[in-house]
Amino acid sequence: MKITYLSNSIIPSKKANSIHVMNMCHAYTSLGNDVTLICPARKDEMDSGIDNIYRHYGIPSTFAIKHLPSPKIRFRSIIYTLSSLLHLIFRRPDAAIGRFVYTCVLSVKLGIPTVFDSHGPIWLDGKISALLFSWLIKSKYLVQITTNSAALKQLYLERYPELSKQITALPNGAQKPTPNPLQKIWPGRSNAIQIGYIGSLYAGRGAEVITHCAQQLPEFDFHIVGGDKEDIAQLSAELDCSNLFFHGHKPHHETANYREQCDILLAPYQRSVFNKAGTQDSTTFMCPIKVIEYLSSAKAIVASDLPTIRELLNESQAKLVTPDKMEEWIEAIKELAASDTLRARLASSAYQHFENNLTWQARAEKTLQLLNG
């Protein structure tokens, strides 16, 4: 099948949405489809430090990427949308899958069977997006709406109850990791339990939980992999903690190497989780790729006990604790550190759950099943 993936993600970039898009395109290709990804050529936002897009995301170059015009001027989204229209007309794919409502509307107008993949309430993207979505759901060529969490699906149904037979929740995925030796000396003590966090340091991601635990548990080493230089400087400014190490942001394909060095991985999401701009709380509908990558690494996990996290794992796969109760985090870490058997049991259950349910290919297969009826 010839598929065009309709995206508004900045590629390459450090953002999680670009990780999702690239991996899904690779997954569709691995299932025997001819895939082209279209995305905006926003030179002002693209990460110029990435010389090979596919290598950055740790995937082979199995599909084409078309960067379409999106100049830094007023109405850039309209210019990009019109460029996408021309691409769809000339390529004429058998199907379209996308996260950008502007171009998904064009796809159904051209009579192309389309799946709209939503990762947040469309009405939060503004009045134009909400209007376009209302047009989209009236088209017979809209095959299905997919959401990355059951919670997000429920939010849609509360606002659009008529979509009950047209919307499916499909969680995000992760690659099966193939860790390589680190190209640097690991700063942790060889005789200490190694505890890691891999991800951004935006508000609500739980950096304060990690720093508190590191201060209260000096017998263990803590590692934070991620965060901009400014975030790290601000977080470490008032810390006097010799067992906490900041590794900074790493290319996505290298993060498995850092997870491999750890005995325990932390996912300390708080009750409000914001994007980089601090403008949108995603706690009620998120599906963190990071948590699925933790599962894929076969490591013991301590995670916040939130409804959206429970969509991805349960007590047989991780220690689940109250997000803002520091004593529960400390107790969970101590319990895991004290028992090799417990860590191994949780890690094995976590990996099995990932392998059976949460690979990118599994998500792609389910999406294609929806397309094919």
Side-chain angles (χ1 to χ4, degrees):
M1 186 187 303
K2 187 162 64 171
I3 298 173
T4 292
Y5 194 104
L6 304 167
S7 168
N8 195 35
S9 295
I10 306 304
I11 294 173
S13 76
K14 300 173 183 177
K15 295 180 179 179
N17 60 59
S18 72
I19 295 171
H20 174 98
V21 166
M22 290 291 289
N23 277 280
M24 287 305 297
C25 286
H26 172 56
Y28 292 129
T29 305
S30 70
L31 294 170
N33 299 286
D34 174 10
V35 178
T36 296
L37 164 64
I38 60 173
C39 51
R42 295 188 177 176
K43 303 293 186 183
D44 55 311
E45 298 178 50
M46 293 161 67
D47 194 327
S48 59
I50 298 171
D51 59 346
N52 185 301
I53 295 176
Y54 301 98
R55 184 172 64 233
H56 172 74
Y57 293 98
I59 59 176
S61 54
T62 55
F63 58 92
I65 302 174
K66 300 292 184 184
H67 285 95
L68 302 183
S70 182
K72 192 179 180 181
I73 59 176
R74 195 178 182 187
F75 305 124
R76 69 190 307 179
S77 291
I78 294 176
I79 295 172
Y80 173 64
T81 300
L82 292 174
S83 299
S84 301
L85 173 62
L86 292 175
H87 174 87
L88 288 169
I89 290 172
F90 286 109
R91 187 167 193 255
R92 198 65 192 186
D94 301 311
I97 301 167
R99 293 179 53 162
F100 189 38
V101 69
Y102 285 56
T103 46
C104 285
V105 166
L106 295 179
S107 178
V108 297
K109 292 293 185 183
L110 291 172
I112 300 169
T114 301
V115 172
F116 177 61
D117 190 24
S118 179
H119 292 243
I122 192 68
W123 52 93
L124 296 183
D125 292 340
K127 293 181 180 179
I128 295 177
S129 292
L131 176 63
L132 290 173
F133 182 74
S134 69
W135 294 349
L136 179 67
I137 61 178
K138 294 174 184 176
S139 173
K140 67 179 181 180
Y141 292 102
L142 177 67
V143 176
Q144 191 78 185
I145 299 163
T146 53
T147 63
N148 64 343
S149 70
L152 180 57
K153 173 184 173 180
Q154 186 57 38
L155 289 176
Y156 269 97
L157 290 177
E158 288 171 5
R159 185 170 285 242
Y160 304 98
E162 68 272 22
L163 296 178
S164 60
K165 296 181 180 179
Q166 206 174 1
I167 189 165
T168 303
L170 298 177
N172 285 322
Q175 298 180 41
K176 292 184 179 181
T178 53
N180 296 310
L182 279 179
Q183 301 301 309
K184 58 175 283 187
I185 298 174
W186 185 252
R189 294 166 288 182
S190 60
N191 62 340
I193 290 290
Q194 304 296 302
I195 301 167
Y197 167 85
I198 292 86
S200 66
L201 298 177
Y202 307 152
R205 306 297 171 116
E208 66 278 9
V209 173
I210 303 167
T211 56
H212 179 82
C213 290
Q215 290 172 311
Q216 296 299 311
L217 299 169
E219 67 271 32
F220 307 137
D221 288 334
F222 289 77
H223 302 266
I224 294 178
V225 181
D228 297 332
K229 292 180 180 179
E230 297 78 10
D231 298 326
I232 295 171
Q234 183 177 355
L235 187 60
S236 59
E238 299 179 2
L239 285 175
D240 182 16
C241 198
S242 61
N243 64 324
L244 176 59
F245 305 94
F246 293 92
H247 297 262
H249 174 79
K250 300 299 174 184
H252 183 254
H253 71 276
E254 293 182 10
T255 56
N257 305 339
Y258 287 84
R259 295 195 300 271
E260 184 64 21
Q261 299 295 319
C262 299
D263 301 297
I264 300 169
L265 295 170
L266 305 180
Y269 292 97
Q270 296 303 288
R271 299 183 190 279
S272 294
V273 179
F274 293 93
N275 57 10
K276 184 174 184 178
T279 56
Q280 189 178 94
D281 179 5
S282 61
T283 316
T284 58
F285 58 81
M286 66 182 183
C287 180
I289 293 173
K290 172 175 64 188
V291 172
I292 303 174
E293 290 177 338
Y294 281 8
L295 292 166
S296 78
S297 293
K299 298 290 180 178
I301 301 166
V302 186
S304 295
D305 192 355
L306 296 168
T308 47
I309 299 297
R310 279 188 175 268
E311 286 191 33
L312 298 174
L313 48 76
N314 58 36
E315 291 92 342
S316 70
Q317 295 134 10
K319 296 289 290 183
L320 294 171
V321 299
T322 307
D324 51 0
K325 288 191 176 180
M326 298 297 183
E327 64 274 16
E328 291 190 20
W329 286 93
I330 290 172
E331 186 59 35
I333 291 170
K334 284 183 175 180
E335 184 180 356
L336 287 173
S339 175
D340 295 347
T341 302
L342 177 59
R343 292 201 307 275
R345 175 167 58 80
L346 290 176
S348 176
S349 177
Y351 183 79
Q352 198 65 47
H353 174 55
F354 156 75
E355 191 173 42
N356 291 340
N357 304 288
L358 293 169
T359 63
W360 291 118
Q361 186 162 336
R363 191 178 200 271
E365 287 174 347
K366 291 172 184 175
T367 305
L368 292 174
Q369 287 170 6
L370 295 171
L371 262 175
N372 294 325

